[in-house]
Amino acid sequence: MLILNKTARVFSKPSKRNIYEYLRSINFHPGKVFLHKLVLGIETSCDDTAAAVVDETGNVLGEAIHSQTEVHLKTGGIIPPVAQQLHRENIQRIVQEALSVSKVSPSELSAIATTIKPGLALSLGVGLSFSLQLVDKFKKPFIPIHHMEAHALTIRLTNKVEFPFLVLLISGGHCLLALVKGVSDFLLLGKSLDIAPGDMLDKVARRLSLINHPECSTMSGGKAIEHLAKQGNRLHFDFTPPMQRAKNCDFSFTGLQHIIDKTIMQKEKEEGIEKGQILSSAADIAAAVQHTTACHIAKRTHRAILFCKQRDLLSQSNAVLVVSGGVASNLYIRKALEIVTNATQCTLLCPPPRLCTDNGVMIA
């Protein structure tokens, strides 16, 4: 706690006056008796401000979330100081909303859990600072949460999954494969050596100027690529999946992104259009990019499954692969992973879409 308090001072935080005004404004519900322990989870690692109250049986009493996607679409990406300011503006409201829906007051909580890493330092600081003030005010235990561990274990909220199991976390900020042997017991098998798949898809979408496409103007980059890919022919462009000869389970997306950028530049010259205009082949490029990304992720995951089975780290008959993170909601990539799990006698499980992206429930 001493370390966390020192860390909190590094980050900017809401004024004490504001937080005490907030605390006084909360509606208390005296007289209720809760049979289970209640945890408030707070998540501000990137661009979503989220909070939730969950009891020890996994029952979600209430949750709230504020997404910054619309703002960051206009700026062409996440700008950390902007994300920080939006977290500051919304965290009190989001926490209060989660508590109100739950009909729980801070004094009735058993503990407060908050993401402390990994993520954007400025964003993490807002949630950490706010949480520590609640902890200090109500004398509650503080539980520091590793963001990726929370993603990995979310499936146990919705499905009966026994340890050990394999987890693939794919999002805009992360890409890793790990064997989950228990709570806080992970064996890292592979990770991205550069950028995350969601980051690459976002950059390709920006390079294709899909925000100017009438069907994609309100979508995130990854969603825009998935949407447009349905209308394209992936065979019109041939992008080679990275690291085909690498004898490990790591990922890489930067090289692929550079090749795609060169292809787009070449097509712009051929069509005589300027940056910002939509290529006639945009849908074909989107389809090829999505297919190559799916192949790369599927092949590395296949290696991880084989590795674990050969060393008896996973069950031979009922092994489970859990896929989570924002990119896990891409149905084309999920289908590629289904082919892998079917071929290796594994069960593929994904949390529902709302729990794949950042949320307060997984922290609580």
Side-chain angles (χ1 to χ4, degrees):
M1 180 60 77
L2 178 60
I3 295 171
L4 290 169
N5 274 305
K6 286 181 179 177
T7 306
R9 294 187 197 113
V10 176
F11 302 111
S12 300
K13 57 186 179 182
S15 70
K16 284 190 175 181
R17 178 182 175 184
N18 286 343
I19 188 139
Y20 289 142
E21 285 177 357
Y22 155 71
L23 295 173
R24 283 195 296 270
S25 71
I26 293 176
N27 292 320
F28 290 86
H29 303 271
K32 297 195 308 302
V33 176
F34 291 99
L35 301 177
H36 301 290
K37 292 178 181 176
L38 305 174
V39 175
L40 169 66
I42 296 176
E43 156 64 28
T44 63
S45 67
C46 190
D47 61 336
D48 289 319
T49 312
V53 178
V54 177
D55 69 21
E56 62 185 317
T57 66
N59 183 36
V60 181
L61 277 67
E63 61 179 309
I65 187 166
H66 176 266
S67 174
Q68 303 176 6
T69 301
E70 193 174 329
V71 173
H72 297 308
L73 273 175
K74 293 175 183 175
T75 57
I78 298 171
I79 300 173
V82 174
Q84 178 192 41
Q85 183 58 34
L86 290 170
H87 282 306
R88 284 176 180 161
E89 292 172 4
N90 290 285
I91 190 165
Q92 292 187 6
R93 176 179 62 82
I94 290 300
V95 170
Q96 183 169 11
E97 188 177 323
L99 290 169
S100 296
V101 171
S102 306
K103 293 184 170 57
V104 171
S105 70
S107 62
E108 293 163 328
L109 294 170
S110 304
I112 296 170
T114 304
T115 307
I116 61 162
K117 66 177 182 179
L120 300 176
L122 294 177
S123 293
L124 287 166
V126 176
L128 179 59
S129 173
F130 190 87
S131 301
L132 292 177
Q133 290 181 69
L134 286 177
V135 165
D136 181 60
K137 174 70 176 176
F138 293 99
K139 308 303 179 207
K140 299 295 179 181
F142 178 76
I143 307 174
I145 300 295
H146 189 291
H147 182 76
M148 303 315 291
E149 290 185 5
H151 268 304
L153 296 171
T154 299
I155 194 68
R156 286 167 56 85
L157 191 70
T158 58
N159 297 73
K160 186 175 175 56
V161 181
E162 300 297 331
F163 299 116
F165 60 88
L166 188 65
V167 66
L168 168 67
L169 301 178
I170 42 177
S171 68
H174 307 282
C175 182
L176 62 84
L177 273 163
L179 182 71
V180 186
K181 297 191 281 186
V183 177
S184 299
D185 188 4
F186 295 78
L187 173 63
L188 184 64
L189 300 174
K191 65 183 187 305
S192 176
L193 301 177
D194 35 65
I195 62 175
D199 187 19
M200 186 205 70
L201 293 174
D202 285 345
K203 287 175 177 174
V204 172
R206 284 201 294 275
R207 188 63 188 81
L208 286 170
S209 304
L210 296 189
I211 194 169
N212 297 326
H213 194 291
E215 295 177 19
C216 306
S217 60
T218 60
M219 297 179 182
S220 65
K223 287 292 182 187
I225 292 289
E226 183 178 12
H227 175 80
L228 209 57
K230 295 173 185 174
Q231 306 167 23
N233 185 343
R234 65 175 177 82
L235 298 176
H236 286 177
F237 292 90
D238 185 20
F239 301 126
T240 304
M243 302 182 71
Q244 295 204 85
R245 294 185 180 180
K247 295 182 178 179
N248 55 43
C249 300
D250 290 331
F251 304 83
S252 176
F253 298 95
T254 296
L256 177 59
Q257 184 203 324
H258 289 329
I259 293 169
I260 295 164
D261 284 348
K262 286 183 180 179
T263 301
I264 294 171
M265 192 181 301
Q266 182 184 336
K267 295 305 292 183
E268 285 174 340
K269 286 180 181 177
E270 289 176 10
E271 295 189 16
I273 68 170
E274 296 180 358
K275 217 172 183 180
Q277 294 178 294
I278 307 295
L279 283 169
S280 63
S281 55
D284 294 337
I285 293 173
V289 169
Q290 179 177 251
H291 177 73
T292 307
T293 303
C295 286
H296 180 45
I297 291 172
K299 286 178 180 179
R300 311 316 285 170
T301 304
H302 186 215
R303 285 187 63 87
I305 293 172
L306 294 179
F307 173 86
C308 289
K309 287 204 167 190
Q310 285 171 3
R311 286 159 179 76
D312 289 324
L313 298 173
L314 282 176
S315 168
Q316 298 295 329
S317 57
N318 59 348
V320 172
L321 169 67
V322 172
V323 184
S324 190
V327 178
S329 62
N330 182 298
L331 296 181
Y332 191 91
I333 292 174
R334 196 181 290 192
K335 185 64 180 176
L337 291 166
E338 277 180 18
I339 293 171
V340 169
T341 53
N342 288 340
T344 52
Q345 289 78 54
C346 288
T347 300
L348 175 64
L349 295 177
C350 300
R354 71 181 183 86
L355 294 180
C356 274
T357 53
D358 294 349
N359 61 87
V361 172
M362 70 178 189
I363 305 303

